[in-house]
Amino acid sequence: MNKPTIFSGVQPSGSLTIANYIGAISKWVELQDQYDSIFCVVDLHAITVQQDPQKLKARILEVTKHYLASGIDPQKATIFQQSDIPEHAELAWLLNCTACRIADLKKMTQFKDKAGEKQENVSVGLFDYPVLMAADILLYDTDQVPVGEDQVQHVELARDLAKRFNNRYGQTFKIPETIVRKEGARIMNLVDPQKKMSKSSSTEASYIALLDQPEAAAKKIMRATTDTGNEIRYDKENKPGITNLLTIYSVLANKTVKELEKNYIGKGYGDFKKDLAELVKDFLTAYQQRYNSYSDEEVKNLLKDNAAKLKPLAQKILAQAKQKIGLTI
Ligand code: AQP
């Protein structure tokens, strides 16, 4: 029997953070044996905000190396570059016209967060981003989409658009489901633990980049904002800073939060942070060794080969949608 399919991606929009690893990529690694796995470098999403062309080029290769360094096995999973398969953009257009309404997109919280006060002056692409994401998912008959919490609303929109299209034109798209990890689906900013950690943040101290110097990353942990009091306890409401650090610790050390809380009874923030800083330093050192073992040439070839392998499936689903709409003469 065929395995079910998972699809997910990361934008080459900055230096990947430990939040991208914990919330998304590490979960993909866990799932890659049970699923037919498709992991995309979503470059067309990245250009919804301004990108420097030279940096963007480099980051497409970087994201691919991050997938590999995290443990995605190219023998098991298909890693490719979104813009290599133009069917993504074409299906997005079809969904724009046949299934998505302005009102759907106005509800998207990520757009409101990213556009902020400048809603009238950001690109149309930033507003339409969730429709392209729906196209990415629907183009491969995806069963499940493993994402961090901030992307859940977008996967729900993909489900709604697929249902709307199917109701109007007859069964065409599979309805995808979301997979969100129990702990670590929303890693918070180290400076302001009320905000999520983001790779495009302008405050370097707010995130741990996977390519940060391990020593510098350890310092960021030591300086992370913590709460009043000194008890190491998971409490999102009253102790968002320590709760966030406990979550990072728990995922990287593969220990439960309960276990950690027990280990730190009677100890203070200083001891806890020192241990976590050491853990992060060791994690990054090993991670970067793997990351540096891949060459640009190697990842370019991998991306090209995989796009060629995947294209027929994308073409097939797109052709079905076009035929249903009446575009096939
Ligand atoms: N803070 C987070 N905690 C847990 N998971 C997270 N993800 C992002 N931030 C966190 C998950 O990482 C995957 C890739 O994200 P993306 O590149 O699609 O863009 P994003 O969700 O907008 O993430 P960033 O880091 O905040 O990027 P920028 O700054 O470019 O917008 C997704 O599965 C996401 O949920």
Side-chain angles (χ1 to χ4, degrees):
M1 218 179 76
N2 282 345
K3 291 179 183 172
T5 300
I6 50 173
F7 178 97
S8 201
V10 173
Q11 301 179 68
S13 49
S15 192
L16 263 64
T17 69
I18 207 158
N20 300 124
Y21 173 80
I22 292 176
I25 308 172
S26 67
K27 185 72 192 168
W28 309 349
V29 175
E30 271 173 53
L31 297 171
Q32 65 182 338
D33 287 319
Q34 298 150 252
Y35 289 87
D36 262 340
S37 306
I38 307 176
F39 301 125
C40 186
V41 181
V42 285
D43 54 353
L44 295 177
H45 283 276
I47 60 165
T48 55
V49 297
Q50 207 174 338
Q51 302 291 345
D52 173 272
Q54 289 311 319
K55 281 192 187 150
L56 179 61
K57 258 185 181 182
R59 282 179 179 150
I60 292 166
L61 302 181
E62 280 175 22
V63 172
T64 312
K65 291 183 191 174
H66 280 295
Y67 290 175
L68 297 169
S70 299
I72 300 294
D73 178 348
Q75 304 299 325
K76 295 178 186 164
T78 310
I79 301 172
F80 78 106
Q81 181 185 349
Q82 184 184 29
S83 62
D84 273 342
I85 303 195
E87 283 75 6
H88 288 247
E90 194 171 348
L91 182 58
W93 181 253
L94 301 185
L95 294 173
N96 271 333
C97 299
T98 59
C100 193
R101 301 169 190 148
I102 296 276
D104 298 319
L105 297 181
K106 280 192 172 164
K107 289 184 203 145
M108 297 295 120
T109 55
Q110 194 179 63
F111 174 73
K112 290 183 209 160
D113 290 346
K114 285 201 169 174
E117 304 289 303
K118 297 185 238 137
Q119 286 198 9
E120 299 300 316
N121 291 317
V122 296
S123 75
V124 175
L126 188 66
F127 186 60
D128 201 32
Y129 174 116
V131 181
L132 178 60
M133 180 163 157
D136 299 338
I137 296 166
L138 301 179
L139 212 41
Y140 299 99
D141 265 346
T142 301
D143 294 279
Q144 315 260 5
V145 188
V147 284
E149 208 174 87
D150 65 320
Q151 293 294 341
V152 171
Q153 194 186 28
H154 292 162
V155 184
E156 275 162 12
L157 181 75
R159 289 168 57 83
D160 291 345
L161 300 189
K163 285 182 199 162
R164 220 176 269 161
F165 190 98
N166 289 349
N167 283 338
R168 186 163 164 191
Y169 297 106
Q171 181 56 40
T172 310
F173 298 118
K174 201 178 252 185
I175 312 298
E177 284 175 4
T178 315
I179 298 182
V180 186
R181 62 179 316 146
K182 280 202 188 81
E183 288 300 338
R186 191 172 182 81
I187 298 296
M188 309 308 283
N189 181 306
L190 296 179
V191 177
D192 178 358
Q194 302 293 349
K195 291 189 190 150
K196 80 160 195 143
M197 189 183 283
S198 262
K199 67 172 115 59
S200 58
S201 164
S202 52
T203 317
E204 276 195 29
S206 75
Y207 59 83
I208 305 244
L210 291 162
L211 298 183
D212 270 348
Q213 290 295 330
E215 276 299 340
K219 284 197 184 119
K220 288 185 186 177
I221 294 286
M222 292 308 291
R223 291 191 196 124
T225 304
T226 38
D227 323 280
T228 50
N230 57 4
E231 200 187 352
I232 314 298
R233 183 166 51 82
Y234 188 95
D235 179 348
K236 272 191 184 165
E237 192 94 333
N238 301 306
K239 289 175 151 289
I242 276 296
T243 297
N244 189 40
L245 297 182
L246 267 170
T247 307
I248 295 173
Y249 200 145
S250 154
V251 176
L252 293 187
N254 202 13
K255 288 186 175 158
T256 64
V257 167
K258 285 263 158 287
E259 222 175 320
L260 292 173
E261 283 175 335
K262 220 169 118 195
N263 291 349
Y264 284 95
I265 291 175
K267 295 185 185 163
Y269 289 169
D271 293 326
F272 172 75
K273 278 180 156 181
K274 225 161 91 197
D275 292 348
L276 177 58
E278 203 55 36
L279 179 68
V280 166
K281 203 169 85 181
D282 291 348
F283 169 78
L284 291 183
T285 305
Y287 183 95
Q288 290 169 15
Q289 241 166 31
R290 296 194 296 277
Y291 179 96
N292 289 326
S293 70
Y294 301 103
S295 71
D296 286 357
E297 255 344 275
E298 193 178 353
V299 299
K300 276 185 199 169
N301 290 336
L302 179 77
L303 291 174
K304 291 293 166 221
D305 290 352
N306 283 343
K309 268 192 241 155
L310 268 183
K311 201 173 161 69
L313 178 55
Q315 282 174 326
K316 182 178 136 210
I317 307 274
L318 180 73
Q320 284 168 5
K322 287 174 80 170
Q323 191 262 329
K324 293 278 173 61
I325 294 171
L327 292 168
T328 317
I329 53 165

